[in-house]
Amino acid sequence: LQTRLQAGQGYGNTLNCVLTVYRNESVAGFFKGMSFPLASIAVYSSVVFGVFSNTQRLLSQLRHGDPSRTPALADVALASMVAGFISVGIGTPVDLVKIRLQMQMQPYIKANIKLKPTVPGFPVYRGPIHCFRTVLQKEGIAGIYRGAGAMLLRDVPGYCLYFIPYTYFCGWITPDGCISPNPSSIWLAGGIAGAISWGTATPMDVVKSRLQADGVYLNKYKGTLDCILQSYQNEGLKVFFRGITVNAVRGFPMSSAMFLGYELSLKAMKRDQTETNP
């Protein structure tokens, strides 16, 4: 829904988008492009959380000589920015394949535009591997990383507004005297952080989605700035808030599960390490 609202044509609002997708493509339409992100999410999340955690430890070691010391707000912010920067290298190709698969059946209506031989409304790609290979052959590495600039502008501040609110809310919700937050505190803090991060990241998410969807039938945008200017000139400021409801709503359960899995995994590994090396 998020991709269709941000980069598609003819969707008035979220409900209209849901009904249109279901009417035209049935339930399967809601799961297009899912396989590639599903196959890579474990690696992606491990890298992001691993980079964030290890950067914090490194900064604590450099500043205080103790990697286990609670990091300052500035350290959390810097670690978040590093995690956001690293995430782009893994996330851009995955997002591009997902968006191309989701958008390839969308009709494109524009006067005086000579389309590529592929006819809108018919599949361009047979699946994620075929999509990745086709883009790589036709557009090279630059094609695979199309939208990386917009994703960088989304994820670097986005992860700051992901990890900093989580750290703050987790500390605030956790009862006094507790050494570590309980699962319910982690779940709630993670959900709030996810809703804040995804909600505020929506403008650049719109730009990224449009850049990555561009190229299925024609190349409309020359780059990030051109996409921003064209989108604003054609549709006004409101275009940059398309899909904000979907982003914020999905951000809560997704981030709750992510942080809960992360924190519980850390606790389990620390417990095993303590039992092994008493």
Side-chain angles (χ1 to χ4, degrees):
L1 297 180
Q2 167 221 2
T3 303
R4 303 288 180 94
L5 285 167
Q6 292 177 345
Q9 300 287 332
Y11 302 113
N13 52 49
T14 304
L15 180 59
N16 179 255
C17 183
V18 171
L19 296 175
T20 303
V21 171
Y22 180 74
R23 184 168 56 248
N24 295 338
E25 304 168 54
S26 75
V27 176
F30 297 105
F31 295 92
K32 281 187 175 178
M34 184 184 72
S35 59
F36 211 41
L38 195 62
S40 60
I41 187 65
V43 174
Y44 178 82
S45 299
S46 297
V47 170
V48 169
F49 278 86
V51 167
F52 172 73
S53 180
N54 284 299
T55 302
Q56 280 193 133
R57 290 173 61 83
L58 176 62
L59 291 171
S60 294
Q61 175 67 42
L62 293 174
R63 289 178 185 272
H64 311 291
D66 181 9
S68 62
R69 183 165 176 167
T70 302
L73 182 62
D75 294 344
V76 176
L78 183 55
S80 302
M81 292 170 69
V82 173
F85 184 83
I86 296 297
S87 73
V88 174
I90 302 172
T92 303
V94 174
D95 271 16
L96 181 122
V97 170
K98 178 194 73 172
I99 287 173
R100 291 287 177 95
L101 289 171
Q102 289 173 342
M103 296 300 296
Q104 65 174 335
M105 295 293 286
Q106 298 301 290
Y108 192 92
I109 304 171
K110 190 171 178 68
N112 302 320
I113 292 290
K114 185 178 180 181
L115 294 173
K116 295 179 180 179
T118 308
V119 180
F122 291 89
V124 181
Y125 312 111
R126 295 192 295 270
I129 302 300
H130 180 251
C131 177
F132 185 89
R133 189 171 63 244
T134 302
V135 174
L136 189 61
Q137 289 173 348
K138 292 183 176 180
E139 304 174 47
I141 296 294
I144 290 296
Y145 279 91
R146 184 173 178 80
M151 193 168 182
L152 199 64
L153 293 172
R154 183 196 73 174
D155 283 4
V156 171
Y159 274 112
C160 286
L161 293 171
Y162 189 59
F163 288 113
I164 292 176
Y166 170 74
T167 302
Y168 173 77
F169 282 113
C170 214
W172 183 56
I173 297 170
T174 301
D176 293 335
C178 292
I179 299 174
S180 59
N182 57 49
S184 59
S185 298
I186 295 169
W187 181 87
L188 183 57
I192 294 171
I196 291 171
S197 177
W198 274 106
T200 54
T202 297
M204 288 315 301
D205 194 41
V206 170
V207 176
K208 180 197 72 71
S209 295
R210 292 190 160 208
L211 282 168
Q212 293 185 323
D214 191 39
V216 178
Y217 301 116
L218 61 116
N219 290 316
K220 182 180 178 182
Y221 306 115
K222 296 175 183 177
T224 303
L225 182 59
D226 183 51
C227 181
I228 293 171
L229 293 175
Q230 284 199 49
S231 298
Y232 176 73
Q233 289 169 358
N234 294 333
E235 301 170 68
L237 191 62
K238 64 181 181 180
V239 69
F240 299 109
F241 297 93
R242 281 189 180 181
I244 190 170
T245 303
V246 175
N247 271 345
V249 169
R250 76 161 185 169
F252 192 100
M254 183 176 70
S255 299
S256 293
M258 198 82 74
F259 276 109
L260 189 59
Y262 168 69
E263 295 285 6
L264 293 180
S265 297
L266 280 183
K267 286 182 181 180
M269 286 187 285
K270 287 178 181 177
R271 185 171 59 248
D272 289 344
Q273 189 176 26
T274 303
E275 292 173 355
T276 306
N277 302 299

